[in-house]
Amino acid sequence: MLEFHASLTSSGGHSHPWDSKPWAWLVAARPILYYSSTDISCGDGGSCRRMLYLFGTPVIWWLVIPAVLWGLWSLLVRRNRAFLIPLVGAAAGFLPWLMVFDRQMYFFYATAFIPFVIVLISLALGQMIGRGRVLRWRWLTELFGAAMPLGTFLTVCYAALVVAMFAYFSPILYGYLIPDSWYHSMMWLPSWT
C-alpha cells in the first residue's frame, strides 16, 4: 500500500478530475464531487439534479489566508499566545502536503487544518467584539435592544453570513433535489463544476 501511494504522482501519469493541490485548498478552489444525478424531471416540467459535494462554505474558506496572517501578527507582534496552538495545528495540517505536491491529492486532506483555522477566525472575531464606534441605528437598537459597537456588529453579521451561506449551499452538501438554475447559481468558480 505504501509503495502504491508513494508512486501515485501526477508526473507519473496519474490523474483524477477532482485532484487539487494544497494551495487550492486555501480558498476551496476545487471541491470533490461524490455523487451526481442530472436530467431529473422537476414537478414544474423543468430539469433538476441531485449533486453531493465535499465543499467548504466560501465565507469561511476565503478567510483562511487572512486568518493565518492575522494570527501570526497577533502572536508575533502583539504577543497573544492564544494564537499559538491554532497556528501550529494549521501549519501541521497543511505544510507537510507542500513537500509532496506532485502526489495526487484531494480537498478532503484539508480537514486536518480547517478546525484550527476556524479557531483562528473565532479568536480574531473575539478581538473585534466590543470595539469600534458605537452604532446607534434605530433598527439595530430595536432589533437587539441596545446600541452596538461596530466590531460586535461586524461579528454578528459574519456569523449570520456563515449560517446563511451554509443554508444556501446545503443542497449540494446533502444531495437535495434542486432545479438546475439553483445549482448553476452556486457554481461561482469554474473549478467547482
Side-chain angles (χ1 to χ4, degrees), residues 39-72:
D39 297 325
I40 301 170
S41 179
C42 292
D44 63 356
S47 183
C48 284
R49 65 178 61 212
R50 190 178 308 254
M51 309 290 277
L52 186 59
Y53 278 86
L54 173 67
F55 183 76
T57 306
V59 76
I60 293 173
W61 282 90
W62 291 353
L63 286 184
V64 168
I65 295 169
V68 168
L69 292 175
W70 181 263
L72 285 169

Side-chain angles (χ1 to χ4, degrees), residues 67-79:
V68 168
L69 292 175
W70 181 263
L72 285 169
W73 184 80
S74 293
L75 177 66
L76 300 174
V77 175
R78 298 175 83 190
R79 306 277 189 231

Side-chain angles (χ1 to χ4, degrees), residues 92-143:
F94 176 73
L95 294 177
W97 293 109
L98 294 176
M99 292 183 252
V100 291
F101 68 87
D102 187 39
R103 186 187 184 287
Q104 205 171 69
M105 292 183 254
Y106 304 95
F107 182 59
F108 58 75
Y109 295 167
T111 56
F113 75 82
I114 196 60
F116 296 103
V117 171
I118 291 172
V119 171
L120 288 171
I121 292 171
S122 300
L123 287 170
L125 291 172
Q127 290 178 332
M128 292 174 57
I129 293 176
R131 297 185 182 253
R133 68 180 180 88
V134 176
L135 304 176
R136 300 187 190 284
W137 300 329
R138 189 175 63 165
W139 67 269
L140 190 63
T141 336
E142 289 173 4
L143 185 63

